[in-house]
Amino acid sequence: MNAPVRIDPETGLKVFNTRAAKASEKITGKGYSVTTDQKLKELPELPPGATFNAEEQAKYRAFKEARRGAADYINMEGEFKKYLDDVYSEPPIPREALTDECEILVVGAGFGGLLLWHKLSNAGFTDVRFCEKGGDVGGTWYWNRYPGIACDVESYSYLPLLEETGYIPSMKFASGFEILEYCQNMAQKFGFYDHCLFHTTVAATTWDEASGRWIVETDRGDKMRARFVILANGILTTPKLARIAGMEKFKGESFHTSRWNYNIDLHGKTVGIIGTGATAVQAIPELAKTVGQLYVFQRTPSSIDIRDQRATTDEERATWANEPGWARARRQRFSKISAGRSAIQANDDYLAGKIQEIKQPKQHERRLTEEELIQKQLDSNFRIMEQIRARVDAIVKDPKTAAALKPYYPYGCKRPTFHDEYLPTFNLPHVHLVDTAPRGVAEINERGVVHDGVEYPLDVLIYATGFQWMGTSTFNMVTGRGGRTLKEKWETEGTKTFLGLHSHGFPNLFIVTGPQGGGGSFNFTDAIDAHGDYLVWMLQAMRERGARIVDIRKEMEEAYAAHCRDVDIATAPLRDCISYYNGEGNAAPGSLAYYGGGKWHKHRVAAQSTLEPYVFEDRDSTVSAAAK
Ligand SMILES: Cc1cc2nc3c(=O)[nH]c(=O)nc-3n(C[C@H](O)[C@H](O)[C@H](O)COP(=O)(O)OP(=O)(O)OC[C@H]3O[C@@H](n4cnc5c(N)ncnc54)[C@H](O)[C@@H]3O)c2cc1C
């Protein structure tokens, strides 16, 4: 057994052996299987006369306003801290605290960390160190192991480095368990494990002007120095709990979906699940197959689009084996259609390059204004939602339950979900929808949930209450130039970045897939890929010019942040609902993310060709990039 920390005799760099063992063999699972009932795999016809008229618009507004302010979440502190325990791995591998220096320190070992390592090491950057809170790689796919978990973006476009690993996902929508294994394969194949400190949470990252280094402190007592820090800490990684009176009193078992406790046997039990977002939609059909009674506490229904899951075909395997570049080409085609639900349905002929267009682009007699374009999108969006609502009526037998399961907001405003078994689950006699709209569950006692004066006694209570979006604790612990924290800067000035990757006053700090990071695609791997390529370019550019520090000009950052705000305001009607995407309706425009993919690339290309936004410093002096 190798020591947890040792020196590689060839490179003189430290290498690590800190990957924790699995906590239990009980943690196994699969994504949902292929549905054979054709009716469940197609949306019903559009109901006649469906138009987004004043009456329908008023219905959407009322639905939204009734929920305003209802979302109230608490941090998992004090007695709720137990919900954050790593239930998937054995305790941390003991190791010495590190006080040395590396060139690049990356926070996070999810897709972001793994892809960065592949790109950086290929570009010759090897003095790279990763810190990861969990006991193994995977990030999202390490923490989320609930039954039924699968990706929502087709796996052939979502999984990174498929050609480099020679791997073909088994299903169009691979299970989370398969994705986790794939992450482990990537880590093994590309030597990632040697570079990662697992069970190591970065607690503080502080810029030291004198040495031009970041000081990175962790919960393992490390105090490392790094020339560059990359935050690949994910933006859906901090689980959140709804604030519900009496929740600390509950005497049964309870956990959050992102720490699924497989030691609790759910067979035949009475189980309650709070929340009906993307996670719950995947977990509920699987839970229903196991538990005795299932109570689903819903505040706001999700849009349940078709899934149409299928296995990868032999023909696909054979074709891809002889088609160099297939995965990258497929992901690029995917990103071109990812503005609507077609992206997630993912037409195979188009994605495989067999046809060039999914549908003919509409020709208008004159160029439409931006407002007219948005109105057209709202109209077609409404028609999709009408079909999604009609699907509920077509499948769910009890009219009251069906009515409660119908969402009234624009498609994509909340995270869209896809499932062919979820709606039929509510026809099962042991599955009960408890409609807590519009304010949500307000009380929990020692026996279970109380709503509208009715007590629902439970053996197990599962919180499917989701994650903080973008507001990760990692962004809160960065202290830059002049002792200013990123948190304080963004709280007082509003979120300000350049390309989402840099923030003025935080030199040599790069953020992957953070706020304002653009990307323009439902497929996160697109943004991670683009950000990784950009970072390699930046580090190489700095090497070439002998620069040791890069910061961003304040005025360029202001202009980029203003652009994000403008795009956000222009497209706001498409996101007119209460959702974590818009900070439960409270986020300032442009502060979280915007979906301006093409524009993000335009800003990036301009920056890379003019170098105008950057201030590079060499060892002795500050030199503007353009002047050099
Ligand atoms: C249930 C679920 C399903 C999803 N499905 C899809 C999908 O189908 N398609 C899609 O495009 N996206 C999906 N996403 C979004 C998903 O998060 C991204 O696709 C992608 O996995 C993000 O990778 P990442 O490496 O950026 O972040 P993550 O996977 O979140 O990894 C970040 C890692 O950083 C670690 N970390 C955070 N802070 C610290 C710290 N201070 N110190 C040390 N380590 C830290 C975390 O432990 C985590 O392991 C899904 C998300 C969830 C939660």
Side-chain angles (χ1 to χ4, degrees), residues 103-107 116 120 205 214 227-233 474-475 478 486 490 498-503 506-514 531-532 534-540 542 548-552 614 616:
E103 187 182 15
I104 305 168
L105 189 140
V106 184
V107 185
L116 273 169
L120 288 169
T205 306
W214 286 98
R227 187 183 283 275
F228 301 100
V229 166
I230 305 178
L231 302 181
N233 51 274
T474 307
F475 296 153
V478 181
L486 196 56
W490 286 357
F498 183 68
L499 298 176
L501 282 144
H502 307 255
S503 197
F506 297 83
N508 290 6
L509 179 88
F510 309 115
I511 303 169
V512 174
T513 68
H531 291 182
Y534 172 89
L535 289 182
V536 168
W537 166 81
M538 171 56 75
L539 294 169
Q540 279 173 333
M542 289 180 74
R548 72 181 177 111
I549 295 171
V550 60
D551 202 349
I552 284 294
Y614 310 111
F616 290 119

Side-chain angles (χ1 to χ4, degrees), residues 173-424:
F173 300 96
S175 91
F177 292 86
E178 181 173 341
I179 301 176
L180 172 61
E181 259 178 52
Y182 179 63
C183 288
Q184 292 163 337
N185 292 344
M186 278 192 283
Q188 205 85 57
K189 188 172 173 86
F190 302 122
F192 180 89
Y193 283 118
D194 284 351
H195 293 264
C196 191
L197 296 167
F198 291 104
H199 278 145
T200 300
T201 301
V202 172
T205 306
T206 310
W207 177 249
D208 177 41
E209 195 68 65
S211 63
R213 299 286 188 278
W214 286 98
I215 314 288
V216 179
E217 294 171 75
T218 77
D219 66 343
R220 300 290 296 271
D222 306 306
K223 195 168 182 178
M224 301 173 277
R225 275 165 295 129
R227 187 183 283 275
F228 301 100
V229 166
I230 305 178
L231 302 181
N233 51 274
I235 42 73
L236 273 174
T237 191
T238 311
K240 64 183 185 195
L241 277 182
R243 188 193 304 277
I244 303 171
M247 57 202 291
E248 69 289 349
K249 294 186 194 152
F250 182 61
K251 290 275 190 296
E253 303 279 9
S254 58
F255 54 84
H256 186 274
T257 51
S258 69
R259 307 287 191 272
W260 196 275
N261 192 339
Y262 282 86
N263 289 322
I264 300 171
D265 183 5
L266 299 175
H267 281 94
K269 298 267 171 63
T270 300
V271 175
I273 181 163
I274 297 183
T276 50
T279 293
V281 167
Q282 293 188 337
I284 283 167
E286 296 304 310
L287 271 176
K289 290 173 191 165
T290 305
V291 305
Q293 295 291 323
L294 182 61
Y295 290 90
V296 178
F297 298 95
Q298 173 190 274
R299 178 172 68 205
T300 305
S302 283
S303 58
I304 317 290
D305 205 339
I306 57 166
R307 157 56 72 225
D308 202 10
Q309 171 72 306
R310 66 169 176 81
T312 306
T313 64
D314 291 342
E315 189 199 336
E316 282 170 329
R317 287 178 193 281
T319 310
W320 292 335
N322 295 307
E323 196 182 306
W326 75 268
R328 184 163 279 268
R330 191 172 176 106
R331 183 171 306 127
Q332 274 167 3
R333 282 193 286 267
F334 185 97
S335 70
K336 293 211 177 93
I337 54 165
S338 75
R341 58 185 290 273
S342 48
I344 303 123
Q345 276 181 274
N347 178 298
D348 281 304
D349 285 345
Y350 171 77
L351 291 174
K354 290 182 190 164
I355 56 170
Q356 291 311 309
E357 300 281 355
I358 304 174
K359 55 179 184 182
Q360 284 300 9
K362 272 208 183 118
Q363 299 295 334
H364 300 290
E365 276 173 15
R366 62 176 170 81
R367 207 182 145 89
L368 299 181
T369 63
E370 207 161 319
E371 290 76 33
E372 286 170 324
L373 276 174
I374 297 277
Q375 193 51 50
K376 287 220 163 293
Q377 284 182 55
L378 278 173
D379 289 340
S380 63
N381 185 307
F382 177 75
R383 290 194 290 272
I384 293 166
M385 287 302 277
E386 279 289 273
Q387 286 180 278
I388 283 177
R389 290 186 281 264
R391 186 186 194 212
V392 179
D393 281 330
I395 296 174
V396 178
K397 294 195 177 118
D398 172 44
K400 201 168 152 226
T401 306
L405 284 167
K406 284 195 249 176
Y408 289 90
Y409 45 78
Y411 186 91
C413 180
K414 293 172 87 68
R415 190 165 146 205
T417 72
F418 309 86
H419 217 291
D420 299 335
E421 286 181 66
Y422 178 76
L423 293 171

Side-chain angles (χ1 to χ4, degrees), residues 106-114 131-134 136-144 146 149-154 158 179 200-203 232-238 259 278-279 282 415 467 472-474 477 512-513 521-525 528:
V106 184
V107 185
F111 275 17
L114 289 162
C131 290
E132 166 55 55
K133 190 185 292 188
D136 204 337
V137 293
T140 291
W141 307 103
Y142 173 86
W143 294 113
N144 293 278
Y146 53 83
I149 185 171
C151 53
D152 274 339
V153 163
E154 64 138 22
Y158 177 55
I179 301 176
T200 300
T201 301
V202 172
N233 51 274
I235 42 73
L236 273 174
T237 191
T238 311
R259 307 287 191 272
T279 293
Q282 293 188 337
R415 190 165 146 205
F467 303 88
T472 77
S473 51
T474 307
M477 53 76 188
V512 174
T513 68
S521 166
F522 274 110
N523 185 358
F524 258 81
T525 306
I528 294 174

